[in-house]
Amino acid sequence: MKRNTIIRVLAIGVTAGLAGGVAEVGWISAYAFATGIDAGSVAGGVTDTVGMAALPPVAGGIAIHMTIAAILGMALTAALAPLRLESARRYGVLASALAAVWAINFMIVLPLINPAFVEIVPLSVSFVSKLLFGMAAAASLQFSQRAEPMRVRA
């Protein structure tokens, strides 16, 4: 793969990951508003989980979350780029991939690292959050595929 192609795939991946991360933050915020829980407790749980409890809980948690989302977006985009998935398949594959990420995180990793984090919101809510990440990332990838590269004119 050419260097420019790699850079483009990674840039598209960052955008897809950030779109997914924003979708998750929006979903958890909506859930918190509807149920009266403190959305900041989720962000604080993120800082606790990664061992950065000294950071401001909300800002730090969101920054960490978005960084992880961008990295996940790059990894997924790079892995899926050779498949050249079209619309419905892209959405299905990304939803499946994020369901797998959720299962690994919430059934294996998080219970070992920070069991309290798994209890902040119901598992069904966190699962929907990951599915929304997949849908937002797929939409971002679909948009980026349609966008024409900008050409610089002299």
Side-chain angles (χ1 to χ4, degrees):
M1 202 181 292
K2 292 181 181 179
R3 182 175 178 194
N4 288 344
T5 304
I6 292 170
I7 291 170
R8 180 166 162 69
V9 166
L10 294 179
I12 291 169
V14 167
T15 303
L18 293 177
V22 167
E24 285 188 309
V25 169
W27 169 251
I28 294 300
S29 297
Y31 174 79
F33 180 77
T35 62
I37 71 159
D38 177 19
S41 66
V42 178
V46 172
T47 59
D48 291 345
T49 300
V50 299
M52 298 180 132
L55 292 175
V58 175
I62 291 174
I64 292 165
H65 169 75
M66 296 305 287
T67 300
I68 294 168
I71 293 167
L72 180 57
M74 286 188 292
L76 288 170
T77 302
L80 297 177
L83 301 178
R84 299 187 186 274
L85 298 170
E86 295 299 321
S87 298
R89 287 189 181 161
R90 180 183 302 115
Y91 284 86
V93 167
L94 279 163
S96 298
L98 269 295
V101 167
W102 174 85
I104 292 166
N105 279 343
F106 281 84
M107 299 300 157
I108 300 169
V109 176
L110 290 172
L112 293 172
I113 296 174
N114 185 359
F117 186 80
V118 178
E119 303 297 324
I120 296 173
V121 298
L123 289 175
S124 59
V125 173
S126 64
F127 182 69
V128 169
S129 173
K130 282 292 177 254
L131 292 179
L132 290 172
F133 183 114
M135 296 299 99
S140 176
L141 292 174
Q142 185 169 348
F143 178 76
S144 70
Q145 186 178 37
R146 289 183 179 164
E148 287 291 320
M150 293 177 58
R151 307 237 187 258
V152 178
R153 294 178 189 230

